[in-house]
Amino acid sequence: MGLTLISTHTASSDATLDITSGIDSTYNEYQFYFVNIHGSEDDKQFHFQVNAAGESGFNETITSTAFYAFHEESGTSFGEYTLGYRTNADQAQGTAYQPAIGYNMGYDNDQSASGILTLYDPSSTTYLKHFTSEGSVAVYNNIAANLFTAGYINTTSAIDEISFKFNSGNIDAGTIYMYGVS
Amino acid sequence: MATKAEHLKAIKAKHSSLTKNVNGVSETLSASEYNATIDEWATNRAAKDARNEIIASGGQSADYANLRTDSMIDGSYPSIPDQLDMLFHDITDGKLGKTGSWYKAVKATKDKFTKP
């Protein structure tokens, strides 16, 4: 497996970060590496949506799952550590932005989230589009969380655009690297 | 707890304009994009406030099932290992009725986050 860097995107107090070029039939798999994504507001979700080729708006239908493990820095107010399904980070045929890599993210100066989102065969016109993501998150109340999401974009249309944002507040900083996998 | 209108006012005061980053180029949001964005932010902030109010004080919520089972929420059900440990001790102590620690713990969560 080889990774080819297609583009690099650095956020700087942007409400959204959209990638509208470079996703095509060249690769069967695309990976988005997120490094130190930092929001402007506390306890917020970092999420994504996609747009099908020839259509408008980031509003494709998604069915997804989400679970996480977390471990507190100190104390046992939430049971110290746990593994659990995240009911408010999944969708059942929803068109909202899908949480990925970061949930309940903190916005202290030293807090951020990093991780990987993989989008499979986005140019297929036969199959729906699977995705998986894994992120390491500095949660707002000083918890280390490992968020896993997966699911499919329920369309057989080709996907050629992707958008990232927080559910409230700007993406203050962070870099997204888009790779093609061959 | 701020209302959506109060959040809208605060967001407008803080952000007179917003930008989007498209393929590495930063652009100012159009008026319609700006209004849609701050409306979404205000809606989400108000919803979060309402949820936090329930988490802090308890009460009726259509989201009661999620509140009860989200282990990051104070007052949610104890973890499965902790519940099993409670049951072990309740059995050992002969307290499998309403005086047992497991029953009390689960009831406390059900009492805090109630069905509408």
Side-chain angles (χ1 to χ4, degrees):
Chain A
M1 185 177 86
L3 296 179
T4 301
L5 179 63
I6 299 169
S7 57
T8 301
H9 307 263
T10 302
S12 179
S13 298
D14 296 304
T16 64
L17 193 156
D18 301 341
I19 301 174
T20 62
S21 69
I23 303 174
D24 52 35
S25 59
T26 306
Y27 300 98
N28 282 332
E29 181 181 338
Y30 288 80
Q31 289 191 334
F32 302 86
Y33 281 65
F34 305 88
V35 179
N36 288 329
I37 300 297
H38 180 83
S40 66
E41 295 183 14
D42 209 17
D43 191 13
K44 294 296 179 284
Q45 281 60 263
F46 186 72
H47 46 199
F48 79 96
Q49 246 294 3
V50 296
N51 182 36
E55 297 181 11
S56 63
F58 293 99
N59 52 11
E60 301 304 321
T61 301
I62 292 174
T63 295
S64 60
T65 65
F67 72 96
Y68 65 93
F70 74 69
H71 193 186
E72 293 182 71
E73 285 186 12
S74 61
T76 58
S77 56
F78 298 100
E80 189 178 6
Y81 53 84
T82 196
L83 173 70
Y85 191 82
R86 193 119 198 100
T87 52
N88 43 9
D90 66 4
Q91 296 196 72
Q93 294 295 85
T95 57
Y97 274 62
Q98 170 63 41
I101 78 154
Y103 206 86
N104 300 118
M105 288 174 59
Y107 80 139
D108 292 351
N109 289 338
D110 63 348
Q111 290 182 315
S112 65
S114 296
I116 301 172
L117 167 68
T118 303
L119 181 62
Y120 297 92
D121 204 5
S123 294
S124 172
T125 53
T126 302
Y127 296 106
L128 45 74
K129 315 301 184 295
H130 289 280
F131 67 88
T132 58
S133 82
E134 179 186 358
S136 175
V137 189
V139 175
Y140 72 98
N141 48 357
N142 301 322
I143 291 172
N146 191 182
L147 175 68
F148 295 83
T149 64
Y152 50 79
I153 301 147
N154 201 355
T155 178
T156 54
S157 298
I159 297 296
D160 64 355
E161 297 180 340
I162 190 164
S163 174
F164 304 97
K165 64 181 181 179
F166 280 99
N167 64 331
S168 182
N170 281 326
I171 310 171
D172 257 357
T175 305
I176 302 174
Y177 300 93
M178 182 170 79
Y179 290 92
V181 182
S182 55
Chain B
M1 186 172 76
T3 65
K4 179 183 172 181
E6 290 168 336
H7 280 302
L8 267 175
K9 186 177 178 182
I11 294 168
K12 281 183 179 178
K14 185 175 181 181
H15 302 283
S16 58
S17 66
L18 291 169
T19 61
K20 59 181 177 181
N21 182 317
V22 181
N23 300 319
V25 178
S26 188
E27 315 170 3
T28 302
L29 294 187
S30 67
S32 62
E33 290 172 328
Y34 171 82
N35 287 328
T37 299
I38 62 170
D39 186 79
E40 179 185 344
W41 290 3
T43 299
N44 289 332
R45 283 189 188 186
K48 184 74 177 176
D49 284 350
R51 183 177 171 86
N52 285 343
E53 182 73 17
I54 290 286
I55 290 170
S57 306
Q60 291 187 353
S61 171
D63 199 31
Y64 72 92
N66 291 335
L67 293 167
R68 288 176 178 177
T69 56
D70 187 335
S71 51
M72 291 179 79
I73 289 178
D74 190 23
S76 62
Y77 290 129
S79 69
I80 296 299
D82 283 348
Q83 289 194 43
L84 290 172
D85 190 56
M86 288 175 193
L87 285 171
F88 173 83
H89 287 289
D90 288 347
I91 292 168
T92 301
D93 297 340
K95 291 183 176 178
L96 268 181
K98 293 184 177 179
T99 59
S101 58
W102 177 83
Y103 179 87
K104 288 178 180 175
V106 171
K107 188 173 187 308
T109 297
K110 289 182 183 294
D111 288 347
K112 181 173 183 181
F113 304 120
T114 57
K115 296 179 184 179

